[in-house]
Amino acid sequence: MTSTNTNPDLESPTATAGVQAAAVVDAPAADPRRWVAFIIMTVATFMDMLDGSIVNVALPAIQHGMGASFVQLQWITAGYVFAFALTLITGGRLGDIYGRRKMFQLGVLGFVVTSFLCGIAVNPEMLVISRLAQGLAAGLMVPQVMSIIHVTFPDKEKGAVFAIQGTIGGLAATIAPLVGGLLVAWNVFGWDWRTIFLVNVPIGIIGYVLGWKYINESKAPYKIRLDLIGVVLATVSLTALLFPLTFGRELHWPAWGFVLMAASVVGFIGFIAYERAKQRKDGMPLIPLSLFKSRSFSAALALMLGMFTFTGMFMLALYLFLQEGLGFSPLRTGVTLLAFCIGAFITASASVVALVPKFGRAVLQVGAVVIAIGVAVMLLTVSPDITSWGLVPGLLLIGLGFGMTATPIALFALQEVPHQDAGAASGLINTKQQLGFAVGISVVTLAFFAPLASQGATNVDSLAPQVRQELVAAGVAEGKADELTNAFKVCGSNNFAGTPEAGAAACTTLQNDAQAKAIADRYTHQAAGESFTGAFRTTLYVGFGFAALALLLASFLPRWLKQEEWGAPAEDAAEEGAEDTAKA
């Protein structure tokens, strides 16, 4: 078994000679086809990451083409993420039990079929159901990737593998708006928005066929039975937590949502108690709680939750600021965000291949500081008139910091995980990522939408006298000008508050008067630029807090990765070995 020493006193940049002599690594001989297998799995991961966010760009086309309601649009986007997050833990454990390649292939096949069903959906209800099924398939497919990497690649190659995987994931999330915008704009074969789903079908089929040939099968070395009661407890508890976090804003945060979140705490406590009893009874829990005895695993999960909460919050607020506040098209938004992607690409590989082996957890801490500097740069430069080029410095710095901090987390998390628990650990890691995104989206309610509603109402009120003045100057009677000005205030305030239905009548009044509409649109655009800029600034201030939290959480990681993974000078290893032998 892999060493599970978590004593902080034994931390060093080099493993001890004693540990090197005694360690029995449970990794099999390196598979000569492992890099081809990794490419196949990376393509599948890329499809999942792309489909998780690409659909946002196509929502207007879906709404126009199918007559989908706002509630249905919310289920089409967030439903996928919700179903995905629910399946990850169970999907990872199924790989340990029945075979990781088998479960990965089953997930790929399911993803292909559900993508096809999404592409041929004849009504919104069919699309919603297909998206939920697509998320379930992704939850079975994705956790196998990290666990297959963990058991297939020798330790010295894992840094490069996770660097590539992190970079590809960041690339997929970043270019999703760009790819989605292009596919919808090209309208290939007249398929309109359906292309964003149907493009997965040929790619997935190729990956499925090649997967059987190049991916080696692996599973736990001893027989494990699926913990069905644990699956039920974990799924119910996650549902109680994730459902209100995912859909709470669209439902205006009903009281029952907070009751569900409180109940999820009780559910998780019961789940942990049951898993402990299950471990004592037969040693086959859904989640081996012994994983959390590893300081490296526990601290890495906490850091991952914080980092992806920041990412979910920052990216959603940024998309809204660029498209709604500045009026950027989806295509221009995607091009602008390439600055973040380039920054992450530069540091993702370098951090795990060269920097972390030499400087340890300090790389992650420096990354958190770089993120904070990038946030500060954006605070100093953001304005209603900022251009794409003006956003590049801040986005580039945040991307550089993200690559340094987020990409190496998996190395710290998995370094003490036994191979028989790779699937369970992978499921937990991926669940933390999705939970972080969900929490980040909920944080946007306080960090972005609340100040947007307040500042939007203030800006609309301050511009109302100018609207009235222009209406009167255009020859509108005093009484009519007052009516139209009031409609401008009611319509604008409710739109910024996210309650357009409350101001629908006022908006209709403006729309029916061409002259008033032209004047109102101009001042609404001005109010949007100022309001969205102010709200985004508030989000950036919250981002400082998350950067500080990441810096703190990184300090709980082991100072160095284990020697088995990186190698060290022989004299240092011998010296540390003598010290460890004495302590033992």
Side-chain angles (χ1 to χ4, degrees):
M1 301 297 295
T2 307
S3 170
T4 57
N5 171 40
T6 57
N7 186 346
D9 295 331
L10 300 185
E11 294 176 353
S12 70
T14 58
T16 66
V19 170
Q20 286 178 322
V24 179
V25 179
D26 52 354
D31 178 9
R33 301 175 300 175
R34 61 191 180 279
W35 285 104
V36 178
F38 174 64
I39 292 172
I40 296 168
M41 294 186 295
T42 299
V43 171
T45 305
F46 185 84
M47 287 194 306
D48 158 62
M49 294 289 292
L50 199 66
D51 249 45
S53 53
I54 194 176
V55 72
N56 295 325
V57 179
L59 288 180
I62 293 173
Q63 185 178 30
H64 175 73
M66 303 186 73
S69 67
F70 287 111
V71 173
Q72 288 169 331
L73 291 176
Q74 172 72 357
W75 274 99
I76 290 169
T77 54
Y80 171 87
V81 179
F82 175 67
F84 179 40
L86 286 184
T87 322
L88 284 165
I89 293 176
T90 303
R93 200 53 167 169
L94 286 172
D96 292 335
I97 298 172
Y98 298 109
R100 296 168 187 122
R101 181 183 67 173
K102 186 182 297 181
M103 291 300 105
F104 174 79
Q105 292 291 87
L106 184 60
V108 171
L109 181 61
F111 199 82
V112 168
V113 172
T114 53
S115 293
F116 178 74
L117 292 175
C118 287
I120 65 170
V122 296
N123 54 48
E125 291 78 13
M126 181 178 176
L127 183 55
V128 167
I129 294 172
S130 299
R131 281 286 283 174
L132 288 169
Q134 191 183 37
L136 294 175
L140 186 61
M141 172 181 69
V142 171
Q144 315 308 330
V145 175
M146 191 173 292
S147 56
I148 290 173
I149 290 172
H150 185 50
V151 302
T152 302
F153 282 84
D155 290 334
K156 64 182 180 181
E157 293 179 351
K158 287 178 183 175
V161 172
F162 284 124
I164 297 170
Q165 186 190 34
T167 302
I168 294 297
L171 177 65
T174 304
I175 69 170
L178 177 62
V179 174
L182 288 173
L183 289 175
V184 174
W186 288 341
N187 193 20
V188 180
F189 302 127
W191 290 345
D192 196 26
W193 56 267
R194 299 177 186 276
T195 315
I196 66 174
F197 298 114
L198 294 177
V199 72
N200 292 329
V201 175
I203 297 173
I205 290 174
I206 294 172
Y208 179 78
V209 172
L210 294 178
W212 288 115
K213 181 176 182 180
Y214 291 102
I215 301 175
N216 273 351
E217 185 61 282
S218 64
K219 62 175 71 173
Y222 53 85
K223 186 175 180 180
I224 302 176
R225 291 189 300 272
L226 183 62
D227 177 10
L228 292 176
I229 296 178
V231 169
V232 172
L233 289 174
T235 302
V236 171
S237 301
L238 280 170
T239 301
L241 175 63
L242 288 172
F243 187 85
L245 284 177
T246 304
F247 300 100
R249 183 179 68 83
E250 292 295 325
L251 298 174
H252 307 296
W253 296 108
W256 56 260
F258 294 97
V259 173
L260 276 179
M261 285 189 281
S264 73
V265 176
V266 178
F268 284 123
I269 292 174
F271 172 73
I272 293 172
Y274 174 79
E275 292 296 281
R276 285 177 174 170
K278 181 72 170 173
Q279 178 67 49
R280 290 192 298 267
K281 180 181 179 181
D282 58 18
M284 298 183 188
L286 177 66
I287 297 178
L289 297 180
S290 58
L291 291 173
F292 293 96
K293 294 180 180 179
S294 164
R295 168 179 161 182
S296 183
F297 185 78
S298 299
L301 285 189
L303 178 58
M304 183 167 288
L305 179 62
M307 280 300 302
F308 283 92
T309 298
F310 164 78
T311 306
M313 175 198 72
F314 175 74
M315 283 301 180
L316 177 57
L318 182 60
Y319 284 141
L320 292 168
F321 168 63
L322 294 180
Q323 297 190 53
E324 302 295 334
L326 302 184
F328 284 13
S329 67
L331 188 59
R332 184 178 178 184
T333 298
V335 172
T336 302
L337 291 176
L338 285 177
F340 173 89
C341 182
I342 291 170
F345 179 82
I346 291 172
T347 54
S349 299
S351 62
V352 295
V353 174
L355 298 178
V356 169
K358 187 173 183 180
F359 302 106
R361 73 181 180 204
V363 175
L364 287 76
Q365 294 170 312
V366 171
V369 173
V370 173
I371 290 174
I373 294 172
V375 169
V377 170
M378 293 199 77
L379 272 170
L380 293 173
T381 56
V382 71
S383 72
D385 302 318
I386 193 169
T387 65
S388 294
W389 285 110
L391 291 163
V392 166
L395 287 174
L396 181 64
L397 284 169
I398 294 174
L400 289 169
F402 182 82
M404 295 173 69
T405 306
T407 308
I409 296 177
L411 287 175
F412 284 93
L414 291 174
Q415 68 169 333
E416 294 176 344
V417 172
H419 286 183
Q420 69 265 21
D421 296 327
S426 177
L428 278 170
I429 291 170
N430 284 284
T431 300
K432 283 290 183 180
Q433 291 181 4
Q434 297 305 313
L435 180 59
F437 280 126
V439 173
I441 291 172
S442 68
V443 169
V444 167
T445 300
L446 297 176
F448 187 85
F449 287 112
L452 176 64
S454 174
Q455 295 180 39
T458 300
N459 289 329
V460 167
D461 285 343
S462 67
L463 292 171
Q466 299 177 51
V467 172
R468 185 184 186 282
Q469 183 178 354
E470 286 206 24
L471 288 170
V472 172
V476 179
E478 294 277 346
K480 184 65 173 177
D482 289 338
E483 178 187 348
L484 291 171
T485 300
N486 185 64
F488 166 76
K489 292 166 63 176
V490 173
C491 177
S493 297
N494 280 284
N495 282 337
F496 286 126
T499 55
E501 63 280 357
C507 294
T508 301
T509 300
L510 291 173
Q511 295 294 322
N512 291 337
D513 189 315
Q515 191 176 43
K517 179 180 182 301
I519 295 172
D521 285 350
R522 187 168 69 254
Y523 282 100
T524 298
H525 178 73
Q526 180 179 339
E530 295 172 354
S531 303
F532 276 88
T533 299
F536 186 57
R537 283 200 182 104
T538 303
T539 305
L540 289 173
Y541 282 119
V542 176
F544 271 126
F546 278 105
L549 178 64
L551 181 63
L552 175 65
L553 292 174
S555 67
F556 287 96
L557 291 171
R559 189 170 289 109
W560 309 99
L561 285 173
K562 293 192 308 177
Q563 165 60 25
E564 297 91 286
E565 301 196 9
W566 300 111
E571 61 272 16
D572 291 344
E575 181 180 345
E576 294 290 343
E579 293 179 4
D580 290 351
T581 301
K583 290 181 181 179

